[in-house]
Amino acid sequence: MVFLGEQHDNPAHHARQAELVAEIAPTALVFEMLTPDQASGITPELVADEAALGEALDWAGSGWPDFTMYYPIFAAAPEAAFYGAAVPREDARRASEIGMVEAFGQGADRFGLPEPLPADEQEARQALQAEAHCDALPEEMLPVMVDIQRLRDAKIAEAALDALEAEGGPVVVITGNGHARPDWGAPALIARAAPDVRMATLGQAEEGAPPLPEGFDRIETAPAVDRGDPCAAFR
């Protein structure tokens, strides 16, 4: 199983993912960006037509960056099985109300969701959530955001293991750097649930940005994207 991390709006990261997918020739591709229902409808015929695939996935309405950046990843493995691991917004909202364990459902124990995080990890995760949201979130929201992140990690891990069981390896997972980090992201949950699975992780950083956490098997750096002031919307 190979995790290929990304900064979602960096086209160089997606170009590198597509290049590696073509080299690896996976039996299955798991996308953080797709729901299981979306992924189940992908066929080789759709993959051959960028416009048709984007329309079938309603990518324009998904909130993810432009499909032209992601399409080459699909095209690099047209015969692969496609799996979705997304937690839709309504499910994330529901998790904030009923808790991530109930929201995940059967199998939450497998990924340690009922267990509290170590205090230092919880604190570090909350600090990252505060920074990612430009310190605009109320303090009481930070633990909720961490729980939703853990829920997303577990859904990615579950989809990846389902793909591996059904298709055999290699399985490639396309996801953000945070979910791909091996110390507490989806790879850590897979290591807990299925310790015999062999994994490799790639983190993709940007020039001039804070470094990625240590632990990735490989970190590559690409030119940064000009995003203006990302905190303007929060203000």
Side-chain angles (χ1 to χ4, degrees):
M1 194 176 294
V2 182
F3 280 79
L4 300 181
E6 64 179 46
Q7 184 79 20
H8 296 309
D9 60 352
N10 190 311
H13 290 181
H14 299 306
R16 181 61 172 145
Q17 288 170 327
E19 179 182 17
L20 289 170
V21 166
E23 292 179 12
I24 295 167
T27 59
L29 268 171
V30 179
F31 281 86
E32 174 197 350
M33 305 81 198
L34 301 178
T35 66
D37 284 346
Q38 286 176 310
S40 67
I42 298 175
T43 63
E45 293 73 24
L46 271 178
V47 174
D49 186 331
E50 179 176 353
L53 179 59
E55 183 176 351
L57 298 175
D58 188 28
W59 196 277
S62 70
W64 292 102
D66 196 279
F67 190 58
T68 58
M69 289 193 284
Y70 282 90
Y71 175 70
I73 306 169
F74 290 86
E79 299 300 325
F82 291 89
Y83 285 74
V87 176
R89 289 187 183 92
E90 57 271 21
D91 290 355
R93 284 194 293 270
R94 182 169 174 265
S96 70
E97 297 168 358
I98 66 173
M100 63 176 169
V101 175
E102 289 296 322
F104 185 89
Q106 187 175 1
D109 288 353
R110 184 185 187 196
F111 301 111
L113 294 185
E115 302 170 16
L117 296 174
D120 57 344
E121 182 179 332
Q122 180 73 33
E123 183 178 353
R125 284 175 177 252
Q126 289 184 193
L128 282 176
Q129 289 294 329
E131 180 182 357
H133 294 87
C134 301
D135 294 315
L137 290 179
E139 189 77 21
E140 61 271 17
M141 276 298 296
L142 296 177
V144 176
M145 299 302 291
V146 171
D147 282 354
I148 292 173
Q149 189 80 352
R150 292 180 67 189
L151 173 64
R152 295 185 192 280
D153 286 334
K155 286 294 186 181
I156 292 168
E158 181 183 50
L161 288 172
D162 287 349
L164 186 63
E165 181 178 359
E167 316 296 340
V171 171
V172 169
V173 182
I174 302 297
T175 188
N177 287 317
H179 294 303
R181 57 184 291 172
D183 56 348
W184 70 39
L189 303 188
I190 290 170
R192 172 194 175 107
D196 292 336
V197 172
R198 292 191 299 138
M199 285 183 287
T201 56
L202 170 71
Q204 295 199 81
E206 292 185 324
E207 295 171 355
L212 296 182
E214 296 180 359
F216 286 97
D217 293 298
R218 183 177 179 87
I219 291 177
E220 298 181 1
T221 304
V225 171
D226 182 6
R227 302 179 179 89
D229 181 359
C231 293
F234 287 98
R235 288 196 295 270

